[in-house]
């Protein structure tokens, strides 16, 4: 059995400090095997925000991995955004925007869906880059078969079931088919600040499916009708189950 705490959209500089402190204490008091952070660690990719995010991560007493979100590249310096978009991430968080965690039971691989933006700077919803997807699929082919395969990315691949018109990541449907064929059975994502899960049917056969699990915002004050939340995922006997934990203003429930 493996336990993963999936947190997302911390947005340091727009953080509920009580929720953040209590979350860190809870994650350490009841430790998972891995904390997976699906992006937007900062609000505006400022250095002080990255320092605060890194201090939070350094406070974790368990292994962690993180992928960037669209808020983790600067919106203020066009030269930096287009020519060194992840320089601050690499300096403060880690040298890899697509990290991996692997043991005998799980394989968790990051996919960077952040777009620098084109001529009109429409970057918010992100996209799955062809090169990044091919790189991930090659990594999957090199890994031993058997462990439960999980991909973590910032942007949602499927819309909430009750809001089917919600924008999702570019090239997401094609990516899900390729990931499923590569043996991935769970995708962890964030960005929307609401939690839900949706199932991508690979075939009509029972049990042959890929689930997209969305996390709400763990610590941000920028809420969208849902309290701060995170997911605890349990992988056992080739299946994943999960529980959402919410902040009620006093404690995590």
């Amino acid at each position: 059995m493996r336990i993963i705490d999936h947190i997302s959209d911390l947005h340091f500089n727009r953080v509920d400090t009580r929720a953040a402190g209590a979350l860190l204490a809870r994650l350490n008091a009841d430790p998972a095997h891995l904390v997976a952070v699906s992006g937007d660690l900062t609000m505006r990719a400022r250095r002080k925000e990255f320092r605060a995010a890194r201090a939070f991560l350094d406070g974790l007493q368990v292994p962690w991995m993180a992928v960037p979100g669209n808020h983790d590249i600067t919106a203020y310096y066009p030269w930096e955004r287009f020519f060194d978009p992840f320089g601050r991430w690499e300096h403060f968080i880690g040298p890899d925007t697509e990290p991996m965690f692997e043991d005998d039971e799980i394989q968790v691989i990051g996919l960077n869906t952040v777009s620098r933006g084109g001529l009109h700077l429409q970057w918010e919803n992100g996209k799955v880059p062809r090169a990044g997807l091919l790189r991930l699929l090659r990594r999957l082919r090199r890994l031993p078969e058997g462990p439960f395969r999980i991909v973590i990315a910032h942007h949602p691949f499927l819309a909430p079931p009750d809001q089917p018109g919600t924008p999702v990541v570019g090239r997401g449907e094609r990516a899900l088919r390729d990931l499923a064929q590569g043996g991935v059975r769970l995708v962890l994502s964030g960005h929307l600040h609401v939690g839900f899960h949706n199932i991508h049917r690979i075939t009509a056969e029972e049990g042959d499916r890929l689930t997209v699990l969305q996390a709400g915002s763990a610590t941000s004050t920028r809420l969208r009708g849902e309290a701060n939340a995170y997911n605890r995922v349990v992988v056992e006997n080739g299946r994943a189950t999960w529980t959402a934990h919410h902040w009620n203003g006093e404690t995590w429930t």
Side-chain angles (χ1 to χ4, degrees), residues 6-11 37-42 66-72 89 97 109-115 123-128 151-157 168-169 187-194 212-217 222 224:
H6 171 213
I7 67 177
S8 191
D9 296 86
L10 282 68
H11 286 293
V37 191
S38 54
D40 277 2
L41 278 65
T42 69
V67 296
N70 53 290
H71 280 262
D72 295 324
W89 176 275
T97 63
I109 305 178
L111 176 63
N112 185 355
T113 57
V114 176
S115 171
W123 60 70
E124 182 179 0
N125 296 321
K127 66 179 179 181
V128 178
V151 165
I152 176 172
H154 177 63
H155 294 89
F157 285 71
V168 296
V169 69
V187 173
L188 305 177
S189 55
H191 184 62
L192 298 178
H193 293 208
V194 292
V212 175
L213 178 61
Q214 193 82 12
S217 170
R222 300 172 68 248
R224 298 173 185 167

Side-chain angles (χ1 to χ4, degrees), residues 12 41-42 48-58 93:
F12 275 92
L41 278 65
T42 69
K48 66 177 182 179
E49 297 170 358
F50 272 116
R51 291 189 188 99
R54 183 58 197 245
F56 178 90
L57 296 173
D58 285 342
I93 305 302

Side-chain angles (χ1 to χ4, degrees), residues 34-185:
L34 174 70
V35 174
V37 191
S38 54
D40 277 2
L41 278 65
T42 69
M43 187 62 208
R44 293 286 181 249
R46 296 185 174 96
R47 290 179 175 86
K48 66 177 182 179
E49 297 170 358
F50 272 116
R51 291 189 188 99
R54 183 58 197 245
F56 178 90
L57 296 173
D58 285 342
L60 291 169
Q61 298 171 11
V62 298
W64 59 268
M65 61 180 288
V67 296
N70 53 290
H71 280 262
D72 295 324
I73 61 175
T74 182
Y76 299 108
Y77 304 104
W79 181 270
E80 179 181 334
R81 184 178 187 97
F82 285 99
F83 294 101
D84 190 23
F86 302 106
R88 299 186 187 199
W89 176 275
E90 292 165 353
H91 177 76
F92 289 102
I93 305 302
D96 194 350
T97 63
E98 296 179 328
M100 185 173 74
F101 176 91
E102 178 187 10
D103 65 17
D104 292 339
E105 295 190 38
I106 57 174
Q107 297 164 348
V108 188
I109 305 178
L111 176 63
N112 185 355
T113 57
V114 176
S115 171
R116 292 174 295 178
L119 182 62
H120 301 291
L121 303 182
Q122 297 297 316
W123 60 70
E124 182 179 0
N125 296 321
K127 66 179 179 181
V128 178
R130 292 186 180 91
L133 180 60
L134 291 174
R135 183 166 54 249
L136 190 154
L137 295 174
R138 286 195 297 268
R139 295 174 83 174
L140 289 173
R141 286 194 292 269
R142 291 195 295 265
L143 291 173
E145 296 184 2
F148 191 87
R149 292 182 169 179
I150 302 169
V151 165
I152 176 172
H154 177 63
H155 294 89
F157 285 71
L158 297 175
D162 59 344
Q163 299 181 38
T166 300
V168 296
V169 69
R171 303 177 186 149
E173 278 287 336
R174 172 59 186 271
L176 286 179
R177 292 195 298 270
D178 290 341
L179 293 176
Q181 291 173 1
V184 175
R185 289 297 174 263

Side-chain angles (χ1 to χ4, degrees), residues 16-42:
D16 182 329
T17 56
R18 292 186 65 199
L23 176 61
L24 185 60
R26 183 184 181 99
L27 296 179
N28 286 332
D30 185 15
H33 297 92
L34 174 70
V35 174
V37 191
S38 54
D40 277 2
L41 278 65
T42 69

